[in-house]
Amino acid sequence: MLIEHFRHATRRWHLEAPRGFGEPGVPAEEQAARELREEIGAEAVRLVDLGVLHPDTGTATDEVRLFLAEVAAVGEPDAREGIRAVRRCPPAEVGRLIRDGVVTDSFTIAAWTRAHLRGLLGEG
């Protein structure tokens, strides 16, 4: 799943995986499941930990945990968070969108790449 999300920092719409900010003391898996519920009304059937990402080691100390989520169904996108649509995209299409520069979000690119390299995305 990719979402069409308006990002104020760039003043543009972006295609990206659902994501959010973590809260201290809350396990990363719980945070990931919560973001899926809040942003796209989805319940995680399975979460696969894809490890840590440092989005920009030159300017920040941020550390982000990435997950691959399997969901059974998707609800309505949260328009209050600037999300206008949810797109069901097969893994190969996401790969093409990354290759062609349509998907530019580093978190999405990293999560897709790690899942792909681990053989977790299957065909399609």
Side-chain angles (χ1 to χ4, degrees):
M1 302 289 169
L2 295 178
I3 58 175
E4 294 179 20
H5 200 163
F6 186 79
R7 292 294 183 180
H8 292 282
T10 61
R11 307 298 303 161
R12 294 179 38 205
W13 289 95
H14 292 271
L15 271 178
E16 59 190 41
R19 63 181 166 103
F21 293 103
E23 294 178 35
V26 179
E29 293 84 358
E30 186 178 322
Q31 298 273 351
R34 182 183 310 159
E35 288 300 323
L36 287 170
R37 279 191 303 277
E38 290 175 359
E39 291 192 353
I40 62 172
E43 290 296 326
V45 173
R46 179 174 74 122
L47 286 172
V48 178
D49 189 337
L50 297 174
V52 170
L53 170 72
H54 294 97
D56 187 349
T57 58
T59 63
T61 60
D62 296 346
E63 182 176 289
V64 177
R65 183 148 303 270
L66 302 172
F67 290 92
L68 171 66
E70 180 182 329
V71 299
V74 176
E76 291 297 314
D78 188 350
R80 294 169 298 161
E81 287 207 27
I83 301 169
R84 70 177 173 191
V86 178
R87 285 198 201 174
R88 293 177 187 261
C89 299
E93 181 182 348
V94 177
R96 286 188 295 276
L97 292 168
I98 291 170
R99 178 198 67 203
D100 296 343
V102 175
V103 171
T104 59
D105 174 62
S106 64
F107 301 105
T108 303
I109 293 168
W112 183 89
T113 300
R114 288 199 183 160
H116 174 71
L117 291 173
R118 292 180 187 179
L120 299 172
L121 299 180
E123 297 298 319

